[in-house]
Amino acid sequence: SIQHVYGAQHPPFDPLLHGTLIKPGAKPPTTPVKLKKVSTFQEFESNTSDAWDLGDDDDELLAIAAENLNTEVVMETAHKVIQNHSKLQEQHKFQEEHLQEEKEVESAELTSAVCGDNRLVKSVSEGHTSSSSDNASENSSMQRSQSLPQTSTPPLVSGMADCNTSVTPALSEREASRLDKFKQLLAGPNTDLEELRKLSWSGIPKQVRPFAWKLLSGYLPANVDRRESTLKRKRKEYFAFVEQYYDSRNDENHQDTYRQIHIDIPRMSPEVLRLQPKVTEIFERILFIWAIRHPASGYVQGINDLVTPFFVVFVCEYIEEEEVENFDVSSLPEEVLQNIEADSYWCMSKLLDGIQDNYTFAQPGIQKKVKMLEELVSRIDEQVHRHLDQHEVKYLQFAFRWMNNLLMREVPLRCTIRLWDTYQSEPEGFSHFHLYVCAAFLVRWRKEILEEKDFQELLIFLQNLPTVHWGNEEISVLLAEAYRLKFAFADAPNHYKK
């Protein structure tokens, strides 16, 4: 059945029952000027479609998504990739030659020592000749690659492997190299946050993600000497809030807030995690303290979801091989649990500072973003927009939750964490860039949307999109498409009405 809009702060504001607080906009104008703009975008789309259809390689798409970097950086990185590749080729050749020599020596011992020597000398001689030929070939190949246009250079940064797929040795080598880049960047006395954002855009390795997220969110300072003292101070400050405010949850004026938090926590994902009493206790404290310290909005349904990615990532900092979903959080030492709780609170607070108008009275931030999404989709894919309009499907009825929960209810948790790597790397990632991700996400289902000819079936589909098996590959393509849309529309004065 059709679900009511999850996360609406006030019951009368359910757009499914009472319509929207914002009047539906008029249909897209059909003046010659508008048609010219649509035609111009269609020309742009047709001119760039070949570049986007180069292949299924995740890295190809992400290389295009990194166009905001200057050519010098791209070319320098490309040269490094080529050189590293050449070195790997040489190492591989050397290993093969060494194995071949060992086999020939063994064969020689079984026949004749003299013959073996001749054969060995011949083999080594051929090996040197072959190696020299290979090096010459690689050098000429490298020169050719350097003269290629920017879009044909090797990927600037590679995405992480999908956790559901087998990892090949080549991919492991690439991931190890990528992890090493992160470690080198994070090990310096002052972390270059701009470089960290560029490197993190296409995904952060699991091993360094907790530390990188704390830096990207602004919770930890870039200067290494200040980090330990900052952590101690902020963790102590959080538990001072707990001591000061948490007992007031039993006060009459805070009963509604605490009751709503208590109702919402069992709805969070993943299910195994939410069933753990220790997790429930931690989430209740985090959400109640945040609500008390932010009276302009207080607690709103949906905020509970925004704690989960931080909590899961920071738990991973203290466990090695086990998945969080199957891990008993209460088995961690109390001091560790307190660190995870405080860090999750502060990072969630930093996130909400940028989107707090989403959760104030009547949630104007969300209504504005949904309206912007509607106008954007009307220009990106007029056929999909017209189809929804003809069947009287309002964007608030499905996209309200997309904005309120940052797509957490639409994709698996592993995908949300991957999304947030990029969101924390983008300027205004959780607000401005999220709009383009939602637009790309909607258009991603255009075939299925256009096939549905019934209001109820359309709404049920949009509220239950089939993403349960999604992984890093799907998210990387989605992010690359969102970046393309942002690049094409962000500076267009009429890409949404204000």
Side-chain angles (χ1 to χ4, degrees):
S1 61
I2 297 175
Q3 304 170 21
H4 294 302
V5 175
Y6 176 79
Q9 182 177 14
H10 307 284
F13 177 62
D14 189 337
L16 198 57
L17 299 175
H18 302 282
T20 68
L21 294 182
I22 297 177
K23 293 181 180 180
K27 291 185 178 180
T30 56
T31 62
V33 175
K34 181 67 176 179
L35 287 174
K36 183 177 180 182
K37 290 182 179 180
V38 172
S39 175
T40 302
F41 172 67
Q42 288 170 346
E43 289 174 4
F44 166 79
E45 189 176 38
S46 65
N47 289 335
T48 57
S49 61
D50 289 341
W52 283 91
D53 295 333
L54 283 174
D56 297 329
D57 193 337
D58 174 28
D59 296 333
E60 289 276 358
L61 295 171
L62 292 173
I64 298 171
E67 284 179 1
N68 60 332
L69 304 180
N70 61 51
T71 306
E72 183 182 349
V73 174
V74 173
M75 293 306 296
E76 181 184 350
T77 307
H79 297 167
K80 288 180 181 178
V81 172
I82 294 169
Q83 290 169 357
N84 290 337
H85 179 70
S86 298
K87 289 178 182 177
L88 288 173
Q89 290 274 12
E90 290 175 9
Q91 291 174 5
H92 185 61
K93 286 277 183 187
F94 177 78
Q95 290 171 355
E96 286 184 347
E97 290 166 6
H98 186 65
L99 288 173
Q100 182 65 27
E101 290 171 9
E102 287 181 346
K103 288 179 182 178
E104 290 178 352
V105 169
E106 290 173 359
S107 174
E109 289 174 351
L110 293 173
T111 55
S112 165
V114 176
C115 183
D117 288 341
N118 291 337
R119 190 179 294 118
L120 181 59
V121 169
K122 183 179 179 183
S123 173
V124 172
S125 175
E126 287 175 349
H128 282 303
T129 305
S130 174
S131 178
S132 301
S133 174
D134 289 341
N135 286 339
S137 174
E138 283 165 6
N139 288 335
S140 63
S141 173
M142 180 173 153
Q143 290 170 356
R144 286 197 303 271
S145 298
Q146 290 173 357
S147 65
L148 293 174
Q150 180 176 332
T151 52
S152 299
T153 57
L156 185 67
V157 283
S158 59
M160 295 173 63
D162 186 346
C163 59
N164 297 325
T165 60
S166 59
V167 181
T168 62
L171 193 58
S172 296
E173 186 70 29
R174 185 173 59 185
E175 285 189 333
S177 173
R178 184 165 165 71
L179 177 60
D180 187 55
K181 288 181 183 178
F182 271 95
K183 287 182 176 179
Q184 288 179 14
L185 184 60
L186 297 172
N190 283 285
T191 302
D192 187 335
L193 294 180
E194 189 58 34
E195 285 300 315
L196 180 60
R197 290 188 187 98
K198 290 176 182 178
L199 196 56
S200 301
W201 200 97
S202 53
I204 304 173
K206 183 179 179 181
Q207 298 91 327
V208 295
R209 183 179 277 132
F211 189 47
W213 274 26
K214 290 171 190 174
L215 284 167
L216 291 170
S217 67
Y219 174 44
L220 274 186
N223 184 280
V224 67
D225 296 330
R226 294 176 48 217
R227 287 173 190 164
E228 188 176 352
S229 60
T230 300
L231 279 177
K232 287 181 179 178
R233 176 171 54 81
K234 298 300 284 185
R235 289 166 178 173
K236 184 178 179 181
E237 188 177 346
Y238 168 74
F239 281 102
F241 292 152
V242 172
E243 187 176 347
Q244 181 178 356
Y245 298 117
Y246 194 55
D247 286 342
S248 68
R249 67 188 184 280
N250 299 315
D251 294 353
E252 186 176 349
N253 57 328
H254 293 152
Q255 277 292 297
D256 289 343
T257 297
Y258 184 70
R259 188 184 304 114
Q260 189 61 58
I261 291 171
H262 202 68
I263 291 170
D264 287 347
I265 288 177
R267 298 173 175 172
M268 73 184 192
S269 178
E271 183 179 358
V272 178
L273 198 62
R274 74 186 179 212
L275 296 176
Q276 298 186 33
K278 192 66 180 177
V279 176
T280 299
E281 177 189 327
I282 290 171
F283 274 58
E284 284 181 0
R285 275 199 297 268
I286 290 174
L287 294 169
F288 185 77
I289 298 303
W290 190 89
I292 294 299
R293 297 194 68 245
H294 296 82
S297 60
Y299 175 75
V300 179
Q301 280 183 297
I303 294 179
N304 59 305
D305 281 338
L306 306 186
V307 184
T308 308
F310 290 116
F311 181 80
V312 169
V313 167
F314 295 154
V315 166
C316 288
E317 188 175 2
Y318 298 95
I319 64 176
E320 292 181 359
E321 297 178 1
E322 294 184 75
E323 292 294 330
V324 175
E325 288 85 345
N326 303 319
F327 182 75
D328 181 8
V329 173
S330 63
S331 66
L332 290 169
E334 187 62 31
E335 183 181 356
V336 167
L337 287 173
Q338 289 181 353
N339 291 344
I340 293 169
E341 179 177 344
D343 294 347
S344 299
Y345 170 83
W346 286 115
C347 288
M348 183 201 73
S349 297
K350 290 283 187 181
L351 187 163
L352 288 171
D353 284 348
I355 57 172
Q356 195 170 348
D357 63 341
N358 284 9
Y359 305 104
T360 53
F361 180 77
Q363 298 176 267
I366 290 179
Q367 293 191 68
K368 181 182 177 182
K369 288 184 178 72
V370 171
K371 189 66 179 174
M372 289 160 66
L373 175 66
E374 182 176 356
E375 297 291 343
L376 184 55
V377 172
S378 72
R379 293 194 65 190
I380 294 168
D381 196 324
E382 188 178 2
Q383 190 178 4
V384 167
H385 176 73
R386 191 167 57 245
H387 187 78
L388 294 173
D389 184 56
Q390 287 173 349
H391 291 85
E392 299 182 346
V393 174
K394 306 299 180 188
Y395 281 72
L396 268 172
Q397 293 167 337
F398 62 89
F400 183 94
R401 188 171 72 182
W402 297 8
M403 302 298 178
N404 192 59
N405 302 80
L406 298 177
L407 289 177
M408 281 194 62
R409 297 275 167 168
E410 320 311 318
V411 297
L413 180 60
R414 62 182 177 274
C415 295
T416 296
I417 290 172
R418 170 63 192 88
L419 265 178
W420 285 23
D421 287 345
T422 300
Y423 281 5
Q424 294 186 89
S425 306
E426 275 279 332
E428 299 181 327
F430 290 100
S431 53
H432 186 63
F433 187 64
H434 178 66
L435 171 69
Y436 296 95
V437 172
C438 288
F441 188 61
L442 179 62
V443 175
R444 158 71 176 75
W445 308 102
R446 76 180 313 275
K447 179 177 178 291
E448 293 84 352
I449 289 171
L450 295 175
E451 286 175 353
E452 296 290 353
K453 306 297 183 183
D454 176 74
F455 165 81
Q456 183 169 334
E457 293 301 319
L458 257 175
L459 203 53
I460 289 174
F461 174 75
L462 288 168
Q463 291 182 342
N464 301 276
L465 293 166
T467 62
V468 67
H469 298 299
W470 272 31
N472 282 356
E473 183 179 347
E474 289 82 2
I475 292 299
S476 296
V477 173
L478 179 69
L479 286 167
E481 177 63 13
Y483 185 88
R484 185 181 73 85
L485 294 176
K486 177 189 172 187
F487 186 80
F489 287 99
D491 297 324
N494 297 317
H495 90 279
Y496 53 76
K497 296 177 183 177
K498 295 186 178 180

